[in-house]
Amino acid sequence: MQSTQLVAFIRDIYKTNAFIPLHAPTFSEKEQANVADTLESTFVSSVGKYVDEFERKIEAYTGSARAVATVNGTAALHAALHQAGVERGDLVITQALTFVATCNTLYHMGAQPVLVDVAKTSLSLCPEAVEAYLYEHAKLTGQGCYHKGTGQRIKAVLPMHTFGHPAELDELLLLCKQWGLTLVEDAAESLGSFYKGKHTGTVGEFAALSFNGNKIITTGGGGMVLCQTATQGDHIKHVTTTAKVPHPYEFHHDEAGFNYRLPNLNAALGCAQMEALPTFLKQKRALAQHYAEFFRKHDCQFVLEPSYARSNYWLNAIICESEVQRDALLTETNAAGVMTRPVWKLMHRLPMFSHAHRGDLTVSEWLESRVINLPSSPVEV
Ligand SMILES: *Cc1c(COP(=O)(O)O)cnc(C)c1O
């Protein structure tokens, strides 16, 4: 494929000769009004109506029992893993092909990732690969699941729904039940993505969403923990807001908490963005269809949603025929002012995770050298 054809196609979609970013946020009068209202009220920080409203909106949309807003997605992931009982020295099974935040969170909890392969269809954690790893390296005792080599506890399985494409959650959940593990979803990229009719992040016991500037909706910075019971939700709220025991004036904190609360100013943005989400999703799915049609006539494979899922198509992706083709496309599109980018380096190639336990990573390595993300901002096509 000629990069000039791709650049022309993308410029035609976005109807501009200016720089085209990978993913830009879209705001309307509603965001303006909510932010102005927050400034007017002076409640820009840790108290105010928008935090609650944003949480209830996310609960209604996802069908999650409880949603707790946090200052960013990484904080949400930390709070989710903390509530799941992940402790210092534990191992958590996740994918080698992910954004670094997934593994950074484990690192700072004193836990370690076990890097496992992804599925070709979803680009997300592969149940067969998890099973193969457990079968070879894990043993189940009365106390739980342990690594045969190091004796470390394996506590959780942490799939990430890459670019919004849901992992095979039923299969992962079954493995978790068989091996005594907790399923925690890194759903940072998958607000608006459904697995067999269920919103991503509601199959696992806990999940994290992100509302960073490049995600499908944004609060500037922000995140959300999803969980399955009100009791867990209450505790997550408690621990993410310094674990202060309610009292008219005394400062008593009953455990070591975090200051992870989302400011009201950011939540005000989130409430407005949630109203726009259905439109973003419609536009992004139409855009993905457009790309899919274009690539049917070219030699790169467009990544379609898995058959069992409805994806938000957060970031559109293609799989090139070779690393050489990928490098040429990346160079030429970026030089032409159309932003494209490769997928993340696999986690074990980063210095802090170079010694991480890992399984066979054939698919991840294959994808690592071939995947390109294309401009994906919502647009009328
Ligand atoms: C964006 C993202 C995060 C972190 O979210 P922040 O809000 O940027 O902290 C975590 N995991 C994945 C996979 C992400 O894409």
Side-chain angles (χ1 to χ4, degrees):
M1 184 184 55
Q2 296 298 312
S3 63
T4 47
Q5 288 174 290
L6 180 58
V7 166
F9 176 76
I10 294 171
R11 290 213 171 279
D12 190 48
I13 287 173
Y14 285 98
K15 297 180 182 61
T16 176
N17 289 318
F19 171 73
I20 300 175
L22 200 64
H23 201 291
T26 305
F27 301 120
S28 69
E29 297 77 30
K30 186 70 190 179
E31 281 83 355
Q32 302 259 2
N34 280 9
V35 171
D37 176 53
T38 312
L39 293 176
E40 181 95 24
S41 75
T42 75
F43 286 97
V44 296
S45 188
S46 55
V47 177
K49 66 176 183 185
Y50 286 112
V51 173
D52 287 338
E53 190 182 324
F54 188 35
E55 289 176 345
R56 302 300 82 76
K57 272 182 164 27
I58 291 284
E59 284 165 5
Y61 182 78
T62 61
S64 178
R66 279 296 295 276
V68 178
T70 58
V71 73
N72 59 50
T74 311
L77 201 53
H78 188 185
L81 290 163
H82 180 78
Q83 187 69 21
V86 172
E87 290 174 357
R88 193 161 291 279
D90 283 347
L91 295 175
V92 172
I93 296 177
T94 190
Q95 57 210 57
L97 185 88
T98 185
F99 178 57
V100 70
T102 315
C103 290
N104 280 345
T105 309
L106 295 169
Y107 181 98
H108 289 294
M109 296 177 81
Q112 290 162 21
V114 174
L115 304 172
V116 167
D117 216 355
V118 293
K120 249 185 195 176
T121 43
S122 63
L123 318 183
S124 305
L125 191 61
C126 173
E128 288 78 20
V130 174
E131 185 170 34
Y133 188 88
L134 287 167
Y135 192 76
E136 192 177 341
H137 297 285
K139 61 169 188 267
L140 199 53
T141 75
Q143 316 297 314
C145 184
Y146 289 84
H147 192 277
K148 279 195 269 195
T150 66
Q152 286 168 285
R153 181 170 71 154
I154 307 176
K155 180 61 188 167
V157 174
L158 179 59
M160 194 283 281
H161 307 296
T162 305
F163 309 145
H165 300 305
E168 295 163 89
L169 290 169
D170 281 346
E171 289 79 358
L172 291 171
L173 189 61
L174 183 65
L175 282 172
C176 284
K177 286 192 174 136
Q178 288 167 342
W179 290 87
L181 305 167
T182 306
L183 185 62
V184 181
E185 298 175 59
D186 182 343
E189 306 185 351
S190 63
L191 177 66
S193 294
F194 291 81
Y195 170 81
K196 296 185 182 173
K198 290 182 197 137
H199 196 279
T200 49
T202 64
V203 177
E205 204 169 332
F206 306 98
L209 305 178
S210 165
F211 313 116
N212 189 34
N214 61 347
K215 297 298 194 316
I216 188 160
I217 70 162
T218 187
T219 56
M224 194 78 77
V225 186
L226 304 183
C227 65
Q228 294 190 343
T229 69
T231 313
Q232 283 166 338
D234 288 345
H235 186 253
I236 293 165
K237 180 61 114 182
H238 182 66
V239 81
T240 54
T241 54
T242 73
K244 185 177 184 298
V245 178
H247 189 279
Y249 47 83
E250 263 186 20
F251 285 97
H252 183 63
H253 305 262
D254 60 2
E255 62 184 298
F258 309 104
N259 178 19
Y260 280 172
R261 194 183 169 95
L262 182 72
N264 196 45
L265 187 60
N266 301 77
L269 263 181
C271 289
Q273 288 270 285
M274 276 309 283
E275 288 180 29
L277 178 61
T279 307
F280 293 162
L281 283 167
K282 219 175 89 205
Q283 292 179 338
K284 288 171 74 65
R285 290 184 59 86
L287 172 62
Q289 256 182 17
H290 232 59
Y291 271 129
E293 224 161 276
F294 174 84
F295 284 105
R296 267 198 280 281
K297 289 167 264 153
H298 293 92
D299 50 9
C300 297
Q301 180 202 332
F302 182 74
V303 179
L304 289 166
E305 65 194 353
S307 57
Y308 52 78
R310 189 173 169 84
S311 178
N312 66 0
Y313 283 100
W314 170 56
L315 281 190
N316 292 292
I318 52 171
I319 303 173
C320 296
E321 293 213 299
S322 66
E323 191 166 354
V324 173
Q325 185 190 38
R326 179 199 70 164
D327 291 346
L329 275 180
L330 282 173
T331 310
E332 291 162 25
T333 50
N334 281 293
V338 170
M339 185 173 170
T340 61
R341 60 158 213 211
V343 72
W344 316 281
K345 263 189 202 175
L346 300 184
M347 289 301 109
H348 67 280
R349 303 204 201 279
L350 306 180
M352 57 287 192
F353 304 117
S354 61
H355 298 292
H357 294 276
R358 54 185 187 262
D360 175 73
L361 297 175
T362 308
V363 177
S364 305
E365 283 166 3
W366 184 82
L367 290 167
E368 182 190 34
S369 62
R370 286 171 180 77
V371 168
I372 291 182
N373 287 127
L374 303 171
S376 301
S377 310
V379 64
E380 202 67 61
V381 290

CSV table of all heavy atoms in Angstrom, one decimal, residues 71-77 98-102 105 160-162 186-189 208-215 220-223 314 344, ligand 1:
chain,number,residue,atom,x,y,z
A,71,VAL,N,-8.7,10.2,40.7
A,71,VAL,CA,-8.0,11.3,40.1
A,71,VAL,C,-7.4,10.9,38.7
A,71,VAL,O,-7.2,11.8,37.9
A,71,VAL,CB,-6.9,11.8,41.1
A,71,VAL,CG1,-5.8,10.8,41.2
A,71,VAL,CG2,-6.5,13.2,40.7
A,72,ASN,N,-7.1,9.6,38.4
A,72,ASN,CA,-6.8,9.2,37.1
A,72,ASN,C,-7.0,7.6,37.0
A,72,ASN,O,-7.3,7.0,38.0
A,72,ASN,CB,-5.3,9.6,36.7
A,72,ASN,CG,-4.3,9.0,37.7
A,72,ASN,OD1,-4.2,7.8,38.0
A,72,ASN,ND2,-3.4,9.9,38.1
A,73,GLY,N,-6.7,7.1,35.8
A,73,GLY,CA,-7.0,5.7,35.6
A,73,GLY,C,-6.0,4.8,36.4
A,73,GLY,O,-6.3,3.7,36.8
A,74,THR,N,-4.7,5.3,36.5
A,74,THR,CA,-3.7,4.5,37.2
A,74,THR,C,-4.1,4.4,38.7
A,74,THR,O,-4.0,3.3,39.3
A,74,THR,CB,-2.3,5.2,37.1
A,74,THR,OG1,-2.1,5.5,35.7
A,74,THR,CG2,-1.2,4.3,37.6
A,75,ALA,N,-4.6,5.5,39.3
A,75,ALA,CA,-5.1,5.5,40.6
A,75,ALA,C,-6.3,4.5,40.8
A,75,ALA,O,-6.4,3.8,41.8
A,75,ALA,CB,-5.5,6.9,41.1
A,76,ALA,N,-7.1,4.5,39.8
A,76,ALA,CA,-8.3,3.6,39.8
A,76,ALA,C,-7.8,2.1,39.8
A,76,ALA,O,-8.3,1.3,40.6
A,76,ALA,CB,-9.2,3.8,38.6
A,77,LEU,N,-6.8,1.9,39.0
A,77,LEU,CA,-6.2,0.5,38.9
A,77,LEU,C,-5.6,0.1,40.3
A,77,LEU,O,-5.8,-1.0,40.8
A,77,LEU,CB,-5.2,0.5,37.8
A,77,LEU,CG,-4.9,-0.9,37.2
A,77,LEU,CD1,-6.1,-1.6,36.7
A,77,LEU,CD2,-3.9,-0.6,36.0
A,98,THR,N,0.6,-4.2,26.6
A,98,THR,CA,-0.3,-3.2,27.3
A,98,THR,C,0.4,-1.9,27.4
A,98,THR,O,1.6,-1.8,27.2
A,98,THR,CB,-0.7,-3.8,28.6
A,98,THR,OG1,-1.7,-2.9,29.2
A,98,THR,CG2,0.5,-3.9,29.6
A,99,PHE,N,-0.3,-0.9,27.9
A,99,PHE,CA,0.3,0.4,28.2
A,99,PHE,C,1.0,0.2,29.6
A,99,PHE,O,0.5,-0.6,30.4
A,99,PHE,CB,-0.8,1.5,28.3
A,99,PHE,CG,-0.3,2.8,28.7
A,99,PHE,CD1,0.7,3.4,28.0
A,99,PHE,CD2,-0.8,3.4,29.8
A,99,PHE,CE1,1.2,4.7,28.4
A,99,PHE,CE2,-0.3,4.7,30.2
A,99,PHE,CZ,0.7,5.3,29.5
A,100,VAL,N,2.1,0.9,29.8
A,100,VAL,CA,2.9,0.7,30.9
A,100,VAL,C,2.2,0.9,32.3
A,100,VAL,O,2.6,0.3,33.3
A,100,VAL,CB,4.2,1.6,30.9
A,100,VAL,CG1,3.8,3.1,31.1
A,100,VAL,CG2,5.3,1.2,31.8
A,101,ALA,N,1.1,1.6,32.3
A,101,ALA,CA,0.4,1.9,33.6
A,101,ALA,C,0.0,0.6,34.3
A,101,ALA,O,0.0,0.5,35.5
A,101,ALA,CB,-0.7,2.8,33.4
A,102,THR,N,-0.4,-0.4,33.5
A,102,THR,CA,-0.9,-1.7,34.0
A,102,THR,C,0.2,-2.3,34.9
A,102,THR,O,-0.1,-2.7,36.1
A,102,THR,CB,-1.2,-2.6,32.9
A,102,THR,OG1,-2.0,-2.0,31.9
A,102,THR,CG2,-2.0,-3.8,33.4
A,105,THR,N,1.6,0.0,38.1
A,105,THR,CA,0.7,0.0,39.3
A,105,THR,C,1.1,-1.2,40.2
A,105,THR,O,1.3,-1.1,41.4
A,105,THR,CB,-0.8,-0.2,38.9
A,105,THR,OG1,-1.1,0.8,38.0
A,105,THR,CG2,-1.7,-0.1,40.1
A,160,MET,N,-6.4,-6.5,29.8
A,160,MET,CA,-6.6,-5.2,29.4
A,160,MET,C,-7.2,-5.2,28.0
A,160,MET,O,-6.7,-6.0,27.1
A,160,MET,CB,-5.2,-4.4,29.3
A,160,MET,CG,-5.3,-2.9,29.2
A,160,MET,SD,-5.7,-2.4,27.5
A,160,MET,CE,-4.1,-2.5,26.7
A,161,HIS,N,-8.3,-4.5,27.8
A,161,HIS,CA,-9.1,-4.6,26.6
A,161,HIS,C,-8.4,-3.6,25.6
A,161,HIS,O,-8.8,-2.4,25.5
A,161,HIS,CB,-10.5,-4.2,26.8
A,161,HIS,CG,-11.1,-5.1,27.9
A,161,HIS,ND1,-11.3,-6.4,27.8
A,161,HIS,CD2,-11.6,-4.8,29.2
A,161,HIS,CE1,-11.8,-6.9,28.9
A,161,HIS,NE2,-12.0,-5.9,29.8
A,162,THR,N,-7.5,-4.1,24.8
A,162,THR,CA,-6.6,-3.3,24.0
A,162,THR,C,-7.4,-2.5,22.9
A,162,THR,O,-8.1,-3.1,22.1
A,162,THR,CB,-5.6,-4.2,23.3
A,162,THR,OG1,-4.9,-4.9,24.3
A,162,THR,CG2,-4.6,-3.4,22.5
A,186,ASP,N,-8.5,-4.2,33.5
A,186,ASP,CA,-8.0,-2.8,33.1
A,186,ASP,C,-8.8,-2.4,31.9
A,186,ASP,O,-8.5,-2.7,30.8
A,186,ASP,CB,-6.5,-2.9,32.8
A,186,ASP,CG,-6.0,-1.5,32.4
A,186,ASP,OD1,-6.8,-0.6,32.2
A,186,ASP,OD2,-4.7,-1.3,32.5
A,187,ALA,N,-9.9,-1.7,32.2
A,187,ALA,CA,-10.9,-1.3,31.2
A,187,ALA,C,-10.6,0.2,30.8
A,187,ALA,O,-11.6,0.9,30.4
A,187,ALA,CB,-12.3,-1.5,31.7
A,188,ALA,N,-9.4,0.6,31.0
A,188,ALA,CA,-9.1,2.1,30.8
A,188,ALA,C,-9.4,2.5,29.4
A,188,ALA,O,-9.7,3.7,29.2
A,188,ALA,CB,-7.6,2.3,31.0
A,189,GLU,N,-9.3,1.6,28.4
A,189,GLU,CA,-9.5,2.0,27.0
A,189,GLU,C,-10.9,1.6,26.5
A,189,GLU,O,-11.2,1.8,25.3
A,189,GLU,CB,-8.4,1.3,26.2
A,189,GLU,CG,-7.0,1.6,26.7
A,189,GLU,CD,-5.9,1.0,25.8
A,189,GLU,OE1,-6.2,0.3,24.9
A,189,GLU,OE2,-4.8,1.4,26.1
A,208,ALA,N,-11.0,-0.9,36.3
A,208,ALA,CA,-10.6,0.5,36.3
A,208,ALA,C,-10.9,1.1,34.9
A,208,ALA,O,-10.6,0.5,33.9
A,208,ALA,CB,-9.1,0.7,36.6
A,209,LEU,N,-11.4,2.3,34.9
A,209,LEU,CA,-11.6,3.1,33.7
A,209,LEU,C,-10.7,4.3,33.7
A,209,LEU,O,-10.3,4.7,34.8
A,209,LEU,CB,-13.1,3.6,33.6
A,209,LEU,CG,-14.2,2.6,33.7
A,209,LEU,CD1,-15.6,3.4,33.6
A,209,LEU,CD2,-14.2,1.6,32.6
A,210,SER,N,-10.4,4.9,32.6
A,210,SER,CA,-9.6,6.1,32.5
A,210,SER,C,-10.3,7.1,31.7
A,210,SER,O,-10.9,6.8,30.7
A,210,SER,CB,-8.2,5.8,31.9
A,210,SER,OG,-7.6,7.0,31.6
A,211,PHE,N,-10.2,8.4,32.2
A,211,PHE,CA,-10.7,9.5,31.4
A,211,PHE,C,-9.6,10.5,31.1
A,211,PHE,O,-9.8,11.7,31.2
A,211,PHE,CB,-11.8,10.2,32.2
A,211,PHE,CG,-12.8,9.3,32.8
A,211,PHE,CD1,-13.0,9.1,34.2
A,211,PHE,CD2,-13.6,8.5,32.0
A,211,PHE,CE1,-13.9,8.2,34.7
A,211,PHE,CE2,-14.5,7.6,32.5
A,211,PHE,CZ,-14.7,7.4,33.9
A,212,ASN,N,-8.4,10.0,30.8
A,212,ASN,CA,-7.3,10.8,30.3
A,212,ASN,C,-7.7,11.5,29.0
A,212,ASN,O,-8.7,11.2,28.4
A,212,ASN,CB,-6.1,9.9,30.1
A,212,ASN,CG,-4.8,10.7,29.9
A,212,ASN,OD1,-4.7,11.8,30.5
A,212,ASN,ND2,-3.9,10.2,29.1
A,213,GLY,N,-6.9,12.5,28.7
A,213,GLY,CA,-7.3,13.4,27.5
A,213,GLY,C,-7.4,12.7,26.2
A,213,GLY,O,-8.1,13.1,25.3
A,214,ASN,N,-6.8,11.5,26.1
A,214,ASN,CA,-6.8,10.8,24.8
A,214,ASN,C,-7.8,9.7,24.8
A,214,ASN,O,-8.0,9.0,23.8
A,214,ASN,CB,-5.4,10.2,24.5
A,214,ASN,CG,-4.9,9.2,25.5
A,214,ASN,OD1,-5.5,9.1,26.6
A,214,ASN,ND2,-3.9,8.5,25.2
A,215,LYS,N,-8.5,9.5,25.9
A,215,LYS,CA,-9.5,8.3,25.9
A,215,LYS,C,-10.8,8.8,25.3
A,215,LYS,O,-11.0,9.9,24.9
A,215,LYS,CB,-9.7,7.9,27.4
A,215,LYS,CG,-8.4,7.4,28.0
A,215,LYS,CD,-7.9,6.1,27.3
A,215,LYS,CE,-6.8,5.3,28.0
A,215,LYS,NZ,-5.7,5.8,28.7
A,220,GLY,N,-10.1,15.6,31.6
A,220,GLY,CA,-8.8,16.2,31.8
A,220,GLY,C,-7.9,15.1,32.3
A,220,GLY,O,-7.1,14.6,31.5
A,221,GLY,N,-8.0,14.8,33.5
A,221,GLY,CA,-7.4,13.6,34.1
A,221,GLY,C,-8.5,13.0,34.9
A,221,GLY,O,-9.3,13.7,35.6
A,222,GLY,N,-8.6,11.7,35.0
A,222,GLY,CA,-9.6,11.1,35.8
A,222,GLY,C,-9.7,9.6,35.6
A,222,GLY,O,-9.2,9.0,34.6
A,223,GLY,N,-10.4,8.9,36.5
A,223,GLY,CA,-10.6,7.5,36.4
A,223,GLY,C,-11.7,7.0,37.2
A,223,GLY,O,-12.4,7.8,37.9
A,314,TRP,N,-11.9,2.5,20.2
A,314,TRP,CA,-11.2,3.7,20.8
A,314,TRP,C,-10.1,4.1,19.8
A,314,TRP,O,-10.0,5.3,19.4
A,314,TRP,CB,-10.7,3.4,22.2
A,314,TRP,CG,-9.8,4.5,22.7
A,314,TRP,CD1,-10.1,5.8,22.7
A,314,TRP,CD2,-8.5,4.3,23.1
A,314,TRP,NE1,-9.0,6.5,23.2
A,314,TRP,CE2,-8.0,5.6,23.4
A,314,TRP,CE3,-7.6,3.2,23.2
A,314,TRP,CZ2,-6.7,5.8,23.9
A,314,TRP,CZ3,-6.3,3.4,23.7
A,314,TRP,CH2,-5.9,4.8,24.0
A,344,TRP,N,2.7,-0.2,21.8
A,344,TRP,CA,3.6,-0.1,22.9
A,344,TRP,C,4.7,-1.2,22.8
A,344,TRP,O,4.4,-2.3,22.3
A,344,TRP,CB,3.0,-0.3,24.3
A,344,TRP,CG,1.7,0.5,24.4
A,344,TRP,CD1,1.6,1.8,24.6
A,344,TRP,CD2,0.4,0.0,24.3
A,344,TRP,NE1,0.2,2.2,24.6
A,344,TRP,CE2,-0.5,1.0,24.5
A,344,TRP,CE3,-0.2,-1.3,24.0
A,344,TRP,CZ2,-1.9,0.9,24.4
A,344,TRP,CZ3,-1.6,-1.4,24.0
A,344,TRP,CH2,-2.4,-0.4,24.2
B,1,LIG,C1,-4.8,5.2,29.8
B,1,LIG,C2,-4.5,3.9,30.4
B,1,LIG,C3,-4.2,3.7,31.8
B,1,LIG,C4,-4.0,4.8,32.8
B,1,LIG,O1,-4.9,5.8,32.8
B,1,LIG,P1,-4.5,7.3,33.3
B,1,LIG,O2,-5.8,7.9,33.5
B,1,LIG,O3,-3.6,7.8,32.2
B,1,LIG,O4,-3.7,7.1,34.6
B,1,LIG,C5,-4.1,2.4,32.3
B,1,LIG,N1,-4.1,1.4,31.5
B,1,LIG,C6,-4.3,1.5,30.2
B,1,LIG,C7,-4.3,0.3,29.3
B,1,LIG,C8,-4.5,2.7,29.6
B,1,LIG,O5,-4.6,2.8,28.3
